[in-house]
Amino acid sequence: MIETIHFFHTNDIHSHFEYWPRMQYYIKEQRIAFAKLGQPSFLLDIGDHMDRSNIFTEATLGKGNVEMLNEAQYDVVTIGNNEGITLEHDDLYHLYDEANFDVIVVNLHSKTGKDPNWLKPYTILTTKYGTKIGVIGATAMFPAFYDELNWNIEDPKEAIKTNVKQLKEHVDIVLCLSHLGITDDELLAKECPDIDVILGSHTHHLFLEGKLIDNVLLTGCGKFGAYTGHLQIQFDQQKRIVIKKEEIVIENALLPEIEQEGNFVESLATTGKELLNQPVFRTSKTYNKEWFHHSNLSRLFAKCMQEFTGADCVMFNAGIFLGGLKKGIVTKYDIHKILPHPINACVIELSGNEMKEVLLLSNNDEWPLLELKGLGFRGAIFGKLLTYHFSLNEDGELLIGGQIADMDKTYRLATLDMFTFGYFFPSFKDAKKKYYLPLFLRDILSTYGEKHL
């Protein structure tokens, strides 16, 4: 007998729910149709379902996302970095307490000594014909962030290979839910041929028909819920082998519109706004934002960053502000609206010479109009790179705090974590630094406002 098994999969939705109703309606109808044919099906998510830039996710700290996954009847999920490193330890620890699906992450453990009840390295799905499918999951390495949040993160590929070796003895098919990115997926396919399919994510790659590497099929469905993956595996019950695996990708924008689906997204936003409508502080004046030069808001935020970190100087891009602060009562919703990014503060230790190099690099004429995507940034354009408490005088000498700097002395620069990943300032990647987790930029502003405004 040849058994056909279907796996619908999503990844990197990032709380973009515009197509969620029609996507889930389509999947449900497909699963019902396949069930009538005697063909089993499963529904999987490969991480970053949530994103705290969305006010519904922010207001519910991701638990609203879990409810949505429950309602859609997901079978197995893994976590992405947006679940893993944007929540306080206890919030992630209890995020999936009410989940009706398996959560699998082979390379994550709590430093408290006891992992949450939902956390497991893999699960085994069984079809009505007795075919056993081992599903293992792993998430990307962000060791400095996980360490600050009281979690241990292990090398994902090594953890996967060790567990697949054990799992292979007990199952007929092995799937890997990988929130590692395309490069690691390609390496894993070569290093672990016992995996039948690697369902990929994290780097938002799109494989319309999958990609085959050494008989391991790789998948990827882009980002923001634009696509739904449909993996079909044919299994020979008599020979106990996979004889065919095929991936197709459905473009959700082309699916039929569902009645009232626009109201769905609106209702989530309304719920989020109501939950976040809590006063934080009152301001006696308006703070405007500017994307191409300094503003009242940027000067206020520089004070926030310096007080919070105790650093010598501050640097951030003006594009982080999506709006200004109005005069009067400021709520959690107001602050989230202008600083929606899941970005943390970071202090980097640099010599005077390195500080001068940073200052010169910060004048890059191409950066202000850059339409930055990723790195935690959720704005429209990068904006001017603003520096506070360090500058060059007329003689080209570096000033820090108004004084001529000692070029060999170490100084502390408060900035945004997204600058430490090497894209803008390569030297930051290996410099000594401290990340301030779990607080986001909006939390730093809120704390300062409560104390001083």
Side-chain angles (χ1 to χ4, degrees):
M1 173 189 165
I2 306 300
E3 182 182 18
T4 301
I5 311 169
H6 302 268
F7 302 89
F8 293 94
H9 56 95
T10 56
N11 63 270
D12 296 291
I13 287 177
H14 285 272
S15 294
H16 282 254
F17 301 127
E18 293 83 1
Y19 296 128
W20 182 262
R22 69 176 71 178
M23 172 204 302
Q24 294 306 326
Y25 180 82
Y26 169 80
I27 292 172
K28 183 178 180 180
E29 291 298 299
Q30 290 289 299
R31 295 187 72 180
I32 290 172
F34 289 133
K36 290 178 179 178
L37 296 174
Q39 299 176 359
S41 65
F42 301 95
L43 181 53
L44 319 168
D45 186 80
I46 309 140
D48 278 1
H49 184 274
M50 62 165 272
D51 191 313
R52 289 183 60 184
S53 63
N54 176 284
I55 62 169
F56 175 73
T57 296
E58 171 74 358
T60 63
L61 291 177
K63 290 202 171 184
N65 294 67
V66 174
E67 289 179 12
M68 293 171 68
L69 292 166
N70 278 341
E71 290 171 4
Q73 297 183 318
Y74 274 73
D75 296 291
V76 189
V77 311
T78 193
I79 72 167
N81 43 291
N82 274 273
E83 287 88 9
I85 62 173
T86 71
L87 294 170
E88 293 188 31
H89 180 274
D90 285 352
D91 290 328
L92 175 57
Y93 198 96
H94 294 290
L95 178 61
Y96 297 103
D97 284 353
E98 304 301 321
N100 297 331
F101 45 84
D102 289 327
V103 185
I104 52 171
V105 197
V106 73
N107 61 324
L108 184 70
H109 299 284
S110 174
K111 283 186 178 182
T112 62
K114 184 180 184 303
D115 286 340
N117 293 332
W118 51 261
L119 181 60
K120 57 181 73 173
Y122 56 78
T123 190
I124 296 176
L125 305 173
T126 306
T127 73
K128 67 178 183 179
Y129 300 108
T131 304
K132 294 187 179 298
I133 305 145
V135 188
I136 192 167
T139 197
M141 287 280 284
F142 288 90
F145 290 80
Y146 277 109
D147 186 60
E148 284 286 334
L149 291 168
N150 213 21
W151 295 93
N152 285 318
I153 187 79
E154 301 172 4
D155 180 274
K157 292 201 297 297
E158 292 305 313
I160 289 169
K161 288 188 287 185
T162 298
N163 281 268
V164 165
K165 189 174 181 180
Q166 303 169 1
L167 187 60
K168 186 65 176 176
E169 298 176 4
H170 306 287
V171 299
D172 303 298
I173 299 170
V174 177
L175 305 183
C176 177
L177 306 189
S178 166
H179 199 88
L180 307 180
I182 182 57
T183 300
D184 280 339
D185 288 355
E186 291 174 342
L187 291 171
L188 183 61
K190 295 175 180 178
E191 296 173 12
C192 193
D194 283 336
I195 299 174
D196 292 290
V197 182
I198 299 174
L199 296 113
S201 62
H202 186 48
T203 44
H204 302 171
H205 51 285
L206 176 64
F207 293 147
L208 293 176
E209 296 179 347
K211 178 179 180 179
L212 201 61
I213 295 181
D214 296 344
N215 203 40
V216 179
L217 182 64
L218 276 58
T219 77
C221 289
K223 64 179 180 178
F224 299 168
Y227 300 94
T228 299
H230 180 189
L231 168 68
Q232 298 181 62
I233 293 180
Q234 289 188 345
F235 183 73
D236 190 317
Q237 289 281 351
Q238 186 173 358
K239 296 180 180 178
R240 311 304 297 175
I241 59 171
V242 172
I243 60 172
K244 185 178 182 181
K245 43 195 173 186
E246 181 180 39
E247 165 80 354
I248 60 171
V249 170
I250 298 95
E251 187 172 355
N252 293 325
L254 302 180
L255 294 174
E257 184 176 345
I258 304 301
E259 186 177 353
Q260 300 296 316
E261 70 177 3
N263 292 340
F264 174 76
V265 175
E266 188 177 328
S267 68
L268 295 181
T270 299
T271 298
K273 186 174 181 179
E274 289 173 351
L275 292 172
L276 292 178
N277 191 28
Q278 302 174 34
V280 180
F281 58 83
R282 178 188 292 271
T283 173
S284 59
K285 66 177 183 178
T286 295
Y287 291 87
N288 69 302
K289 65 93 178 169
E290 300 286 349
W291 282 346
F292 301 109
H293 47 84
H294 299 266
S295 66
N296 289 338
L297 184 57
S298 68
R299 285 186 279 271
L300 171 66
F301 188 67
K303 293 178 183 177
C304 299
M305 288 282 280
Q306 190 165 34
E307 178 175 290
F308 178 72
T309 63
D312 299 301
C313 40
V314 179
M315 179 180 72
F316 53 86
N317 59 305
I320 61 171
F321 305 114
L322 272 60
L325 280 180
K326 62 185 180 180
K327 178 181 177 180
I329 294 175
V330 177
T331 67
K332 286 186 176 181
Y333 172 74
D334 295 325
I335 296 173
H336 184 276
K337 192 175 180 180
I338 67 169
L339 284 170
H341 327 281
I343 292 176
N344 306 102
C346 177
V347 167
I348 306 174
E349 295 188 10
L350 301 168
S351 69
N353 282 308
E354 290 170 324
M355 290 290 293
K356 185 173 183 179
E357 181 184 353
V358 167
L359 201 55
L360 294 172
L361 279 174
S362 71
N363 292 318
N364 190 316
D365 291 335
E366 297 178 0
W367 287 353
L369 291 172
L370 178 67
E371 294 183 5
L372 180 61
K373 305 294 182 184
L375 304 179
F377 185 69
R378 300 293 184 261
I381 59 173
F382 185 82
K384 180 179 174 60
L385 198 54
L386 306 175
T387 57
Y388 291 90
H389 308 297
F390 70 120
S391 59
L392 297 178
N393 64 15
E394 293 179 355
D395 297 323
E397 297 173 302
L398 176 68
L399 302 178
I400 293 184
Q403 303 296 317
I404 295 176
D406 181 340
M407 302 310 283
D408 296 320
K409 181 181 175 181
T410 297
Y411 294 93
R412 300 175 73 245
L413 172 65
T415 189
L416 315 182
D417 63 21
M418 70 177 186
F419 292 133
T420 69
F421 301 135
Y423 182 84
F424 295 97
F425 300 95
S427 63
F428 283 9
K429 199 168 185 180
D430 298 319
K432 184 177 180 182
K433 48 190 167 284
K434 173 178 173 55
Y435 294 101
Y436 289 81
L437 280 75
L439 298 184
F440 289 148
L441 305 182
R442 55 182 173 269
D443 300 315
I444 296 172
L445 176 60
S446 296
T447 300
Y448 186 90
E450 287 181 277
K451 292 169 65 175
H452 300 291
L453 298 181

